[in-house]
């Protein structure tokens, strides 16, 4: 089955700096890659996603890149703000029936 | 249009008791997915259901766990004879088959086994 690895497990940045989180996947059949943000005690919320026919997608301060050949994808957050502090999860899915999640990255943005 | 509704939000059970977790999908969604999240970990897929059908239960433990999504009413995740290791947050998500956007998750049920 699919195996998704996520790095780093914790990331601390200064407010205004950029943050990058990286994930790799193993199953070439995976074709959909969402990213979720989860605040303490709350539900995971979709923040951005990318499909395998696209190499990059951007939404304001958030961008995601995908390298199908290398089987890795990354989340980029620019101009970080304290409210960006949360746990971020990447996931990989195919045929939209189930997702395999990474282990999460705890992002701390210091004011 | 209410989101995915899960109840209860918090559930405390003694070892050996049964836990029933309920999930009402978003209006118009006929596909339901259950995930388990252990403390400090990512979400792990458990089961995927459509109305009256289990489509994929490859992530369900072989014993004590069962799930259903009846024609009427919410989806139910049932854990019999709970043990301490079952303590976790259980999240439900729903979707339409044609909708390839990410899941909408419910707020989760936090099960504590004492």
């Amino acid at each position: 089955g699919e195996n998704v690895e996520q790095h780093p497990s914790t990331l601390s940045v200064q407010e205004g700096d950029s943050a990058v989180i990286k994930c790799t996947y193993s199953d070439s059949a995976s074709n959909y890659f969402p990213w979720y943000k989860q605040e303490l005690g709350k539900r995971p919320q979709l923040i951005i996603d990318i499909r395998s026919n696209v190499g990059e997608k951007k939404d304001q301060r958030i961008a995601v890149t995908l390298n199908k050949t290398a089987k890795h994808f990354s989340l980029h957050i620019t101009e970080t703000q304290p409210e960006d502090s949360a746990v971020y999860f990447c996931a990989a899915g195919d045929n939209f029936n189930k997702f395999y999640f990474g282990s999460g990255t705890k992002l701390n943005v210091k004011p | 249009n209410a989101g995915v509704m899960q109840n209860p939000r918090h559930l405390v059970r003694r070892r050996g008791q049964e836990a029933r977790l309920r999930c009402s999908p978003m209006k118009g969604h006929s596909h339901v997915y259950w995930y388990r999240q252990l403390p400090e970990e990512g979400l792990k897929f458990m089961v995927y259901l459509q109305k009256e059908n289990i489509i994929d239960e490859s992530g369900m433990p072989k014993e004590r766990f069962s799930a259903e999504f009846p024609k009427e009413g919410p989806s139910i995740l049932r854990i019999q004879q709970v043990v301490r290791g079952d303590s976790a947050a259980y999240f439900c998500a729903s979707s339409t088959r044609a909708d390839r956007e990410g899941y909408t998750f419910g707020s989760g049920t936090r099960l504590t086994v004492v």
Side-chain angles (χ1 to χ4, degrees), chain A residues 31-32 34 36 38 41-46 49 51 89 93-104, chain B residues 4 9 33 35 37 40-43 45 48 56 58 91 95-97 99-103 105-107 110:
Chain A
N31 56 16
Y32 177 68
Y36 286 85
Q38 187 177 32
K42 297 193 175 179
R43 75 184 77 188
Q45 292 194 305
L46 178 71
D49 57 11
R51 295 177 176 79
F89 293 98
D94 66 347
N95 299 326
F96 198 54
N97 58 358
K98 65 187 180 189
F99 294 156
Y100 293 90
F101 281 81
S103 54
Chain B
V4 178
R9 290 293 305 274
Y33 312 80
Y35 285 78
Q37 185 176 33
E40 307 292 322
E41 293 188 13
L43 287 81
F45 169 80
Y48 162 38
D56 183 343
S58 57
F91 288 97
S95 76
T96 62
R97 187 61 180 94
D99 179 1
R100 285 185 60 90
E101 298 300 317
Y103 293 152
F105 281 98
S107 296
R110 280 150 186 84

Side-chain angles (χ1 to χ4, degrees), chain B residues 12-62:
Chain B
V12 179
R13 284 287 178 267
R14 296 186 182 279
R15 281 179 294 172
Q17 290 185 320
E18 178 179 287
R20 280 182 173 248
L21 288 63
R22 289 176 289 277
C23 169
S24 296
M26 286 182 69
K27 188 176 181 180
H29 287 191
S30 57
H31 301 252
V32 166
Y33 312 80
W34 286 93
Y35 285 78
R36 177 165 63 176
Q37 185 176 33
L38 295 171
E40 307 292 322
E41 293 188 13
L43 287 81
K44 296 289 194 293
F45 169 80
M46 299 182 74
V47 62
Y48 162 38
L49 310 104
Q50 293 180 24
K51 286 281 188 182
E52 301 183 279
N53 283 306
I54 296 174
I55 307 303
D56 183 343
E57 56 181 349
S58 57
M60 287 276 274
K62 294 288 184 268

Side-chain angles (χ1 to χ4, degrees), chain A residues 6-8 13 16 20 27 31 40-41 44 46 50-51 58 61 63 70-71 79-80 87-88 90 102 107-109:
Chain A
Q6 183 172 346
H7 301 280
V13 300
V20 180
D27 190 348
N31 56 16
L40 189 63
L46 178 71
I50 192 167
R51 295 177 176 79
K58 190 173 181 181
R61 296 186 297 109
K71 294 194 183 71
E79 300 171 25
T80 53
V87 179
Y88 291 81
C90 62
L107 174 64
N108 178 35
V109 180

